[in-house]
């Protein structure tokens, strides 16, 4: 019997479905740098409408969407404030500093989330000799904190604070879809009422192969297009890719509730096995496990792929490519490695086990 691999490393590993590929194949296209790709336009218009913004820009990646947004809002030598574990800091190659000349100041959020209390003391007005804070950057849901959801009330309170301070808000909404799915909050509420710029990913839980969209006010669009071009993100017949995004909005948004149910199932089974599972809110499950690297290696040997995003933490992410049965099997494998009756863990037992694996590989 062949064992099917269960890939729970990230919701980026999804492959386009046959129906999505068909939608891509028949997409009407034109040269988007001339503004002539009708499918790109349709995607941009649809997302601008969904989130209540005046303009949208289709870009190749979430990193690019975030970096264009920050440069729209913040000039070189000015400052953003964000959570200490934000994606824009941890996973974007230092781009705010590198390309935007933007200084970053961090505040440690509560499970990644920054409220008014945390931010209030951090914002500086700036003057002739003090760097001024120009924007606050938030992440919805917060990836490294385990897919945590910003409560709408917190976003509204932050918006009131930044309005009073006369500064902007960027939301990295790569997984805003998951926040919407978890809370039922309309997408629009997570958009223009609480943010000046919002980036959303089509290639995470929505399951498109490529693409993110930057949402902002209409007046920012010419500069956003210029920044995209300067970063090498200008695309031509990109309607082929935008078609995948449109298809995903039609067919993959509602089903995201399944991903959350599967994550809840994994969390419950691992908890039952005695694992130290952190609170699970969306499609990400974090488990505190000494010897996380060995857990990742041990699971992989049984065809279950997960990651260790930090020391002593195992991360599991559900998505449309993994069904309920596969999640059950993954839970069994992971429970055996991390649960109370585990075969491996931290310390020397794990090292011994790792050594045995190495030897068996040689053999
Ligand atoms: C995935 C992700 C991004 C962007 O990633 P790309 O790989 O560039 O598309 C940005 N922010 C968060 C929180 C993400 O999870």
């Amino acid at each position: 019997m062949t064992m099917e691999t269960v890939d729970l490393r990230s919701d980026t590993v999804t492959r386009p479905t046959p129906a999505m590929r068909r939608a891509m194949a028949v997409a009407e296209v034109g040269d988007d740098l001339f503004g002539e790709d009708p499918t790109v336009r349709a995607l941009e218009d649809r997302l601008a409408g969904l989130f209540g913004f005046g303009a949208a820009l289709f870009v190749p990646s979430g990193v690019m969407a975030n970096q264009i947004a920050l440069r729209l809002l913040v000039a070189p030598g000015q400052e953003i404030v964000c959570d200490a574990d934000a994606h824009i800091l941890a996973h974007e190659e230092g781009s705010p500093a590198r390309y935007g000349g933007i200084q970053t100041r961090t505040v440690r959020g509560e499970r990644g989330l920054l409220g008014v209390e945390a931010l209030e003391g951090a914002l500086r007005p700036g003057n002739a000799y003090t760097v001024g804070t120009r924007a606050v950057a938030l992440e919805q849901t917060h990836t490294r904190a385990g897919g945590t959801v910003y409560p709408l009330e917190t976003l509204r309170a932050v918006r009131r604070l930044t309005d009073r301070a006369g500064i902007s808000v960027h939301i990295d909404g790569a997984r805003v879809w998951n926040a919407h799915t978890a809370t039922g909050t309309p997408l629009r509420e997570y958009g223009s009422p609480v943010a000046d710029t919002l980036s959303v990913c089509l290639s995470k839980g929505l399951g498109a192969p490529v693409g993110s969209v930057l949402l902002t006010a209409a007046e920012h669009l010419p500069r956003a297009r210029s920044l995209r071009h300067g970063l090498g993100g200008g695309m031509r017949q990109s309607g082929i890719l935008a078609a995948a995004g449109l298809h995903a909005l039609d067919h993959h948004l509602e089903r995201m509730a399944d991903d959350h149910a599967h994550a809840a199932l994994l969390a419950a089974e691992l908890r039952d096995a005695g694992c130290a599972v952190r609170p699970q809110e969306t499609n990400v499950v974090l488990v505190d496990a000494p010897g996380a690297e060995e857990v990742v290696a041990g699971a992989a040997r049984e065809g279950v792929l997960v990651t260790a995003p930090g020391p002593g933490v195992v991360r599991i992410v559900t998505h449309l490519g993994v069904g309920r049965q596969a999640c059950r099997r993954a839970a069994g494998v992971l429970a055996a490695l991390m649960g109370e009756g585990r075969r491996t863990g931290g310390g020397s037992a794990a090292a011994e086990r790792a050594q045995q694996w190495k030897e068996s590989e040689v053999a």
Side-chain angles (χ1 to χ4, degrees), residues 205-226:
L206 279 179
V210 177
S212 278
V213 175
L214 169 64
L215 300 149
T216 186
E219 75 210 44
H220 283 318
L221 189 61
R223 178 128 195 280
R225 288 184 74 91
S226 151

Side-chain angles (χ1 to χ4, degrees), residues 10-12 60-66 86-88 91-92 139-144 172-175 199 201 203-204 211-212 315:
S10 175
D11 47 13
T12 57
S61 71
V63 169
M64 191 181 286
N66 283 336
H87 191 282
I88 57 168
H91 303 300
E92 304 198 2
E139 191 173 316
Q140 172 82 305
T141 63
H142 195 295
T143 303
R144 291 184 60 82
D172 174 353
R175 293 190 178 82
S199 61
C201 274
S203 60
K204 301 279 167 81
S212 278
R315 186 181 89 157

Side-chain angles (χ1 to χ4, degrees), residues 17 29 255 267:
T17 61
V29 297
R255 64 147 305 286

